[in-house]
Amino acid sequence: MTAATETPLALYIHWPFCRAKCPYCDFNSHVAQEIDHTRFAAAYRREMAHMAAHYGDGRKLVSVFFGGGTPSLMPPSLVAGTLEDADRYFGLSSDVEISAEANPTSSEAAMFEGFRAAGVNRITLGVQSLRDVGLGFLGREHSAADARAAITAARRSFSRASIDLIYARRDQTLADWEAELNEALDLGLTHMSLYQLTIEQGTIFHTRSRRGERLVPTDDLAAEMYEATDDIMTGAGLPAYEISNHAATGETCRHNLVYWRAQDWIGIGPGAHGRLNAPGGRLGLATRRSPAAWLDAVEANGHAIDIVTEDDREASVAESLMMGMRLADGVPLVAMDTRFGPRASWLDEDAMARYIAADMLEIDRGNLRATRAGRLLLDGMLADLLPDHPPAG
Ligand SMILES: C[S@@+](CC[C@H](N)C(=O)[O-])C[C@H]1O[C@@H](n2cnc3c(N)ncnc32)[C@H](O)[C@@H]1O
Ligand code: SF4
């Protein structure tokens, strides 16, 4: 067994369609009049077979994630067939986590049993807000009552259910957000992803904010909301295990941990990304973004890989630090030494000492991690932690 075969492998499957495009969203999602599900099923199968043969390395999958777009619009038979293919081409490990993103409309909640029967064992619901005024501002198609009903249905069908909420919305006060978050906690969920609204290039919100409309609160209020979120979630027994992700003990999302630990994953579907450890660095794969171009390329070539990048050691160090420091556990120093060589070659130890003295970093059980103050200023800190000119390691 090579070193690579010991690294966990995950599979991401991108479903690129939604009922409507939300004004804040820059994900690769499209509104289509007609979708040829049979063509999609065959193309997923072919691209999966290609990826397994070239990059799977004989490893079974520890996680499969249907992301989007809106995967809850997929027919359950397509989910079931795609999972059978994943088992055939890669193999599913005995305790595989199989997640799907879902929108909380009633028609999609009606599909939950079909998704469970297909093999999905974890659902993540894009609730976004428990307030109708918040949902209206975000341009969502569902109401707060729909969201609550979908959460109840999700909890009936799945032992593991998570919700996404977006906070730091225009006109939201700190007290509003605290009340909304406490109501969400009353629903008894064991995992929540809590995102601050970000204005992404190319979105309707971006155009509106460039025209001068205020869509997010001041940085100071957003930081206060972040700290209040941390306090409330920690107090409720769902501390942050990553900047925006909170879970009860044992309920972390294995798939997302693969990303943050810079482990290996393969992506299939339009605009899906994969990253794999390779000798000397890290391989990046990206498929064609447009659903039509992706289908054509897979039918012609067996895959739609459009971009292949090979990161050198320096870029791999940066990825491991940048992703790993988002985690509450931080990065394991000795494992990083084993992977990247002498510590001074991948970490600016003077900068680390300065940030430890400033109470923004700490070393806890051999892991370098950001304190709460450090997490608020992570990007600037990371730039300082990477050595300028790493000596050969
Ligand atoms: C792929 S998207 C959504 C999945 C599903 N289609 C939905 O809308 O419920 C994953 C999550 O990213 C978050 N998200 C997307 N754009 C965002 C933005 N601009 N700011 C903050 N969170 C965002 C939302 O919480 C969303 O549920
Ligand atoms: S937030 Fe979800 S439903 Fe809205 S456009 Fe993005 S992926 Fe589609």
Side-chain angles (χ1 to χ4, degrees):
M1 192 184 261
T2 65
T5 58
E6 289 153 16
T7 308
L9 179 66
L11 178 67
Y12 175 80
I13 300 165
H14 191 75
W15 179 254
F17 302 111
C18 296
R19 283 221 180 86
K21 184 79 190 174
C22 303
Y24 55 85
C25 175
D26 76 339
F27 283 83
N28 184 25
S29 61
H30 308 261
V31 179
Q33 294 307 320
E34 275 188 31
I35 301 164
D36 187 337
H37 293 123
T38 311
R39 234 181 130 196
F40 258 89
Y44 279 149
R45 180 174 310 124
R46 283 197 69 187
E47 191 164 65
M48 203 186 304
H50 176 89
M51 297 285 192
H54 289 79
Y55 305 105
D57 211 7
R59 285 172 288 177
K60 288 190 173 184
L61 299 169
V62 299
S63 163
V64 180
F65 193 102
F66 291 89
T70 306
S72 48
L73 296 176
M74 292 170 80
S77 59
L78 175 53
V79 174
T82 305
L83 287 172
E84 277 163 27
D85 292 336
D87 197 24
R88 178 173 327 127
Y89 293 116
F90 290 98
L92 302 175
S93 64
S94 55
D95 61 346
V96 65
E97 175 185 278
I98 303 178
S99 311
E101 289 178 337
N103 280 29
T105 67
S106 52
S107 59
E108 287 159 84
M111 296 291 205
F112 289 167
E113 273 304 298
F115 272 52
R116 191 190 55 73
V120 172
N121 55 29
R122 181 176 182 280
I123 199 96
T124 154
L125 273 178
V127 165
Q128 319 308 358
S129 173
L130 289 173
R131 299 276 182 272
D132 284 331
V133 64
L135 293 168
F137 167 68
L138 293 170
R140 297 291 289 183
E141 293 220 303
H142 62 266
S143 65
D146 291 337
R148 286 173 184 276
I151 294 169
T152 305
R155 294 195 63 208
R156 237 189 342 255
S157 296
F158 302 98
S159 58
R160 301 181 71 200
S162 175
I163 61 169
D164 296 347
L165 294 176
I166 297 181
Y167 70 99
R169 310 184 298 259
R170 180 181 69 188
D171 298 336
Q172 192 180 34
T173 65
L174 179 60
D176 286 341
W177 167 236
E178 288 173 339
E180 189 178 345
L181 187 56
N182 279 313
E183 279 174 38
L185 280 166
D186 288 343
L187 299 169
L189 296 151
T190 51
H191 189 288
M192 286 192 216
S193 302
L194 306 171
Y195 301 111
Q196 287 198 16
L197 176 61
T198 49
I199 305 300
E200 304 287 355
Q201 291 245 346
T203 60
I204 292 175
F205 270 14
H206 189 248
T207 311
R208 283 169 52 183
S209 81
R210 277 220 328 241
R211 287 192 192 129
E213 199 177 335
R214 188 182 56 80
L215 298 168
V216 290
T218 60
D219 287 351
D220 282 352
L221 179 51
E224 272 182 61
M225 287 180 167
Y226 177 79
E227 290 184 347
T229 304
D230 200 40
D231 288 339
I232 292 172
M233 297 304 286
T234 304
L238 279 76
Y241 67 99
E242 188 269 350
I243 299 227
S244 308
N245 283 274
H246 304 256
T249 309
E251 292 299 322
T252 54
C253 171
R254 183 189 281 189
H255 192 84
N256 287 339
L257 285 172
V258 165
Y259 298 159
W260 296 315
R261 289 178 178 157
Q263 294 172 334
D264 287 6
W265 71 94
I266 284 171
I268 65 162
H273 290 245
R275 292 189 66 72
L276 297 143
N277 288 308
R282 198 129 156 93
L283 189 68
L285 304 169
T287 59
R288 303 194 84 162
R289 271 178 74 84
S290 133
W294 176 81
L295 280 169
D296 288 345
V298 175
E299 286 166 359
N301 309 317
H303 68 87
I305 298 170
D306 194 24
I307 304 170
V308 179
T309 51
E310 283 179 61
D311 284 358
D312 58 13
R313 176 185 168 285
E314 207 178 321
S316 305
V317 167
E319 180 190 353
S320 288
L321 260 189
M322 277 194 273
M323 299 306 274
M325 292 297 285
R326 295 179 63 90
L327 291 168
D329 283 347
V331 293
L333 289 167
V334 171
M336 291 284 283
D337 293 341
T338 309
R339 185 162 167 200
F340 294 116
R343 193 154 302 168
S345 75
W346 63 267
L347 181 67
D348 185 327
E349 293 180 277
D350 292 338
M352 176 179 80
R354 280 197 309 276
Y355 281 118
I356 290 176
D359 198 25
M360 291 174 72
L361 282 180
E362 61 191 9
I363 296 179
D364 181 18
R365 285 162 290 168
N367 282 18
L368 179 65
R369 47 179 247 128
T371 62
R372 186 157 95 174
R375 264 185 277 151
L376 278 169
L377 297 166
L378 198 55
D379 289 346
M381 193 161 65
L382 284 168
D384 291 340
L385 287 175
L386 293 166
D388 291 336
H389 301 290

